[in-house]
Amino acid sequence: QVQLQESGPGLVKPSETLSLTCTVSGDPISNYYWSWIRQPPGKGLEWVGHIGSRGGTNYNPSLKSRVTISLDTSKNQFSLKLTSVTAADTAVYYCARFGYPRGDWSFYFMDVWGQGTTVTVSS
Amino acid sequence: DIVMTQSPLSLPVTPGEPASMSCRSSQSLLHSNGYTYLDWYLQKPGKSPQLLIYMGSNRASGVPDRFSGSGSGTYFTLKISRVEAEDVGVYYCMQALQTRAVTFGGGTKVVI
């Protein structure tokens, strides 16, 4: 059974960098795509970005200049870095498994989610 | 970017009765491979979202058969054949056709 666990600081100061890690257990990370999603307090879901097993990435256009997602296959982890944070980046951050390649195509859906981690941006 | 619009915003339901909600996309979600890249998620109160329906009409593992997804092109529907109390929460649709800009709908809140 695949499980995902987010970890990282719960409080980040404005203008600093938010760093989170998602640890995957139960399946090699190299077989799938992986995504970060966030949810500001009382609001809906927002896709942050995703990474493929070969390291290829896609980022939300509204965050692209500040986001980096990376993969560490040796630790079966993937990570999120968001620079120059403001209060608007305060949210619950989720990691999720986001599909897999199949032949010439890929299938994308978030079938396994972490429990989420709350990140507050405040001085 | 593809805009996802869900309705209604809030859906009062009665246990044992059917319920239905819709999701509209600003562009067709039909891929050239013949698959539709539209998923449905349920976020129960205080919990992480869970996958209900993927690729338009496929129930995820462990999802009760009272949930069904249908639709094509730009209009999609999620139906619950007989609502149970545990079905309350916010339902989101999501498109993954444009993986450079994955987008969610605003959500439909189901209340008893």
Side-chain angles (χ1 to χ4, degrees):
Chain A
Q1 181 182 358
V2 180
Q3 292 186 317
L4 280 62
Q5 179 68 58
E6 304 92 348
S7 59
L11 180 64
V12 182
K13 290 182 168 56
S15 80
E16 295 190 345
T17 297
L18 179 161
S19 296
L20 297 174
T21 296
C22 183
T23 300
V24 180
S25 58
D27 211 348
I29 200 169
S30 57
N31 294 342
Y32 298 93
Y33 302 111
W34 304 92
S35 184
W36 287 97
I37 306 95
R38 70 181 186 178
Q39 186 171 36
K43 296 190 177 180
L45 301 171
E46 179 183 35
W47 169 75
V48 174
H50 66 262
I51 188 166
S53 58
R54 298 180 186 176
T57 54
N58 278 293
Y59 300 130
N60 188 315
S62 69
L63 302 171
K64 192 171 185 176
S65 63
R66 300 192 292 129
V67 174
T68 302
I69 296 176
S70 58
L71 208 60
D72 187 337
T73 54
S74 67
K75 296 181 179 179
N76 230 39
Q77 295 176 333
F78 64 105
S79 298
L80 168 70
K81 288 191 187 301
L82 182 65
T83 62
S84 305
V85 298
T86 69
D89 296 310
T90 293
V92 176
Y93 285 77
Y94 296 100
C95 59
R97 190 169 71 177
F98 184 42
Y100 52 90
R102 177 176 284 179
D104 292 336
W105 313 110
S106 293
F107 297 105
Y108 298 102
F109 44 84
M110 298 172 184
D111 63 336
V112 185
W113 293 66
Q115 65 184 28
T117 187
T118 300
V119 178
T120 301
V121 178
S122 174
S123 56
Chain B
D1 297 356
I2 298 177
V3 177
M4 306 297 291
T5 303
Q6 292 186 243
S7 62
L9 205 61
S10 179
L11 180 61
V13 298
T14 301
E17 295 295 308
S20 176
M21 63 195 78
S22 68
C23 174
R24 193 181 296 272
S25 58
S26 60
Q27 300 176 34
S28 173
L29 300 184
L30 178 63
H31 194 284
S32 58
N33 63 12
Y35 289 94
T36 296
Y37 283 68
L38 184 281
D39 309 319
W40 289 94
Y41 300 86
L42 165 60
Q43 186 174 31
K44 296 182 178 182
K47 301 293 187 182
S48 302
Q50 62 184 92
L51 177 67
L52 293 178
I53 303 289
Y54 64 96
M55 312 305 283
S57 59
N58 299 280
R59 261 191 310 276
S61 175
V63 174
D65 61 6
R66 64 179 180 274
F67 291 94
S68 64
S70 63
S72 62
T74 63
Y75 189 77
F76 304 92
T77 301
L78 178 70
K79 294 181 180 178
I80 310 173
S81 60
R82 292 177 307 279
V83 172
E84 296 192 4
E86 65 182 23
D87 299 336
V88 299
V90 182
Y91 291 75
Y92 295 96
C93 60
M94 184 198 83
Q95 68 79 20
L97 180 71
Q98 280 188 358
T99 53
R100 60 174 174 76
V102 174
T103 46
F104 289 91
T108 291
K109 186 174 184 178
V110 170
V111 296
I112 299 287

